[in-house]
Amino acid sequence: MMLHFRDPAKLKTKKIVFEEAYAARDSITLEQLKELSSKRRMIEESINESSSITTAIAREMSGGLTSRSQQVLHNLEMYLPLLENLIFHVGMISDFGQIVRWNSELKMQWTSALSSSSFFNFKGPKYFQINSLQFEIGMTLFLYGAILQERALEVLPADLVQSATLFREAAGVFHHLAHKVLPILQYSLTAERPPEVVSSVSTVMSLICLAEAQAVTTKRAEEKGTTVGLLAKLHHGVAELLDEAAGVLNTASRDCNDISSRIVEFISCCKALHELKSKKYFAESLKIANQFGAAIGVLRVALVDVKKKKMPGEESWKYVLKEEIDKFAELLRKHEHENEFVWHEKVPSEDELPEPEGNKIASIIPYQPKRWERQLAFKI
């Protein structure tokens, strides 16, 4: 089983009306601003769960798409090229003061799905407002990556190849955010900001998605009967990606001290799970190589190490990890019993035990931003 981290998609936003904030110089620009507002309203209603339209109408409006995640992705893919075009044309305006005034009137507000304060706010969701179009596209792209991740989990039971592809696409979106979008926004940030606008947090999300893509690929390799040696390397590669994510998250915590502990728990728990799976297959490869004592030593040390770790608070994660620990303990018991009565091999000390190597094969699918090239003219 795999662990699921659905928190990033739990974003909400407040309504914005572009044509009321930006002064259009002609009717064509006005219509395009209205279209932009209309496309965004569909996203607002989807994620805020405030839509009054029926399921059948929503399916028809999205071209027959049935799942909520597919419909949200469709709406985002309609909105983002229009937003990119607005950002392009606003960026050509030399009157910076006017841009600031327009953006202030727009009142772009989003909640955070990764902020600790969002989970303990009894007055309702906390909204962050940053008067910059880079904030709007940053949060929209973060939502896009998170919904791709959610869709990957949705198709996982039926199509492992598509699931891995979607995780890699999500990793590409978060990588683009971290390196191309959010660095520009840093100059506009206030002290109070959501974790989603911190570049290193997007890097963490990209690594998590890559780890999930590799976990799905490894699951497919298991079903195809791949050798235990390679399976050990693939699971260890997942753990290495998550270890890298944990390191970056530590840096992110210095840039933003309001990051939810749930993402830390997920990374830690998921890493522990794949370390166990890696050690299980590695021990099996040692057994095949007639190193039965070393196989037992690897299993013993891995079980001791995982039992030292703090169990997660999320019940579904706790259940999956505990189930794997119980299976692992039973495997160790059987090996020790077999060694006692059949092989009589000495179990090496921990310092003498071999370590599995990791093999990281998952790679991002680069996100290519699209811009619908339409002329916009504003009153300055």
Side-chain angles (χ1 to χ4, degrees):
M1 291 181 71
M2 286 178 60
L3 302 186
H4 299 163
F5 186 50
R6 298 182 181 274
D7 291 9
K10 296 175 182 177
L11 290 169
K12 294 188 182 298
T13 185
K14 290 193 175 181
K15 180 180 177 180
I16 61 176
V17 184
F18 289 96
E19 65 271 21
E20 290 182 1
Y22 289 93
R25 199 168 65 190
D26 54 47
S27 59
I28 295 175
T29 300
L30 179 60
E31 285 305 310
Q32 290 181 38
L33 290 173
K34 286 181 177 180
E35 184 181 0
L36 192 58
S37 299
S38 174
K39 298 298 184 188
R40 191 184 194 275
R41 195 168 303 117
M42 294 176 73
I43 297 168
E44 294 161 6
E45 291 176 350
S46 295
I47 64 175
N48 295 344
E49 298 177 342
S50 60
S51 178
S52 58
I53 63 173
T54 65
T55 303
I57 293 174
R59 183 169 61 246
E60 186 178 341
M61 289 174 66
S62 60
L65 300 175
T66 54
S67 81
R68 175 189 171 276
S69 62
Q70 284 179 302
Q71 291 170 2
V72 177
L73 287 173
H74 173 78
N75 292 339
L76 287 164
E77 287 163 2
M78 294 293 100
Y79 174 63
L80 279 165
L82 291 171
L83 182 60
E84 291 277 7
N85 191 52
L86 176 65
I87 291 172
F88 173 79
H89 284 286
V90 170
M92 297 174 67
I93 298 172
S94 58
D95 189 343
F96 183 72
Q98 181 63 71
I99 296 172
V100 171
R101 287 189 291 275
W102 285 341
N103 288 342
S104 299
E105 291 174 18
L106 207 53
K107 293 183 173 60
M108 293 166 277
Q109 297 179 73
W110 288 80
T111 62
S112 171
L114 301 179
S115 167
S116 57
S117 60
S118 296
F119 290 95
F120 303 104
N121 192 350
F122 299 108
K123 297 179 180 178
K126 178 181 179 179
Y127 283 86
F128 296 85
Q129 179 174 330
I130 298 174
N131 299 325
S132 168
L133 285 175
Q134 290 300 131
F135 175 60
E136 172 67 9
I137 198 164
M139 294 301 292
T140 305
L141 281 170
F142 194 97
L143 176 64
Y144 186 52
I147 299 295
L148 281 170
Q149 186 184 25
E150 192 172 81
R151 178 61 182 160
L153 292 172
E154 200 173 82
V155 303
L156 177 59
D159 193 333
L160 295 175
V161 174
Q162 186 187 2
S163 179
T165 300
L166 286 163
F167 277 128
R168 292 174 59 215
E169 287 179 357
V173 172
F174 287 121
H175 184 270
H176 174 78
L177 253 180
H179 292 87
K180 300 293 184 182
V181 178
L182 296 180
I184 303 170
L185 179 60
Q186 301 312 301
Y187 302 105
S188 306
L189 292 179
T190 58
E192 190 175 55
R193 52 191 168 178
E196 286 85 349
V197 300
V198 177
S199 294
S200 47
V201 172
S202 281
T203 299
V204 170
M205 287 303 304
S206 182
L207 288 165
I208 287 175
C209 289
L210 279 181
E212 290 175 316
Q214 176 142 338
V216 174
T217 302
T218 306
K219 180 178 173 65
R220 185 163 180 258
E222 287 171 336
E223 292 180 358
K224 290 170 67 177
T226 302
T227 62
V228 291
L230 179 55
L231 291 175
K233 290 180 179 181
L234 291 174
H235 276 294
H236 197 68
V238 176
E240 286 179 338
L241 285 164
L242 291 165
D243 190 53
E244 189 178 345
V248 178
L249 186 59
N250 187 48
T251 301
S253 299
R254 294 197 292 268
D255 297 333
C256 179
N257 57 12
D258 190 27
I259 298 175
S260 168
S261 62
R262 282 177 56 80
I263 189 171
V264 179
E265 280 191 1
F266 173 78
I267 291 171
S268 176
C269 187
C270 199
K271 179 188 170 191
L273 179 68
H274 286 282
E275 283 176 339
L276 274 183
K277 289 177 180 287
S278 173
K279 293 295 176 64
K280 177 183 73 174
Y281 287 119
F282 184 52
E284 186 63 25
S285 69
L286 291 172
K287 181 181 174 182
I288 292 170
N290 297 316
Q291 298 181 57
F292 207 85
I296 291 173
V298 166
L299 293 175
R300 277 181 186 171
V301 171
L303 190 60
V304 169
D305 286 347
V306 77
K307 285 185 174 181
K308 289 178 183 176
K309 298 181 187 295
K310 182 182 176 183
M311 291 294 279
E314 175 75 36
E315 285 300 321
S316 62
W317 302 345
K318 189 186 297 183
Y319 173 80
V320 172
L321 185 57
K322 187 178 183 305
E323 187 178 49
E324 193 66 30
I325 290 171
D326 290 345
K327 288 180 184 176
F328 202 87
E330 179 60 19
L331 181 66
L332 173 58
R333 188 194 66 76
K334 288 180 178 179
H335 277 63
E336 288 177 330
H337 182 78
E338 185 178 346
N339 193 47
E340 183 180 352
F341 288 96
V342 180
W343 304 107
H344 311 290
E345 277 199 26
K346 179 186 175 184
V347 178
S349 66
E350 185 174 349
D351 293 341
E352 298 173 310
L353 290 173
E355 286 286 337
E357 296 177 357
N359 188 358
K360 293 182 282 189
I361 62 170
S363 59
I364 67 169
I365 295 177
Y367 172 71
Q368 303 292 343
K370 298 180 179 67
R371 177 171 74 88
W372 289 354
E373 298 183 14
R374 300 177 179 180
Q375 192 63 38
L376 299 177
F378 301 100
K379 294 177 185 176
I380 306 299

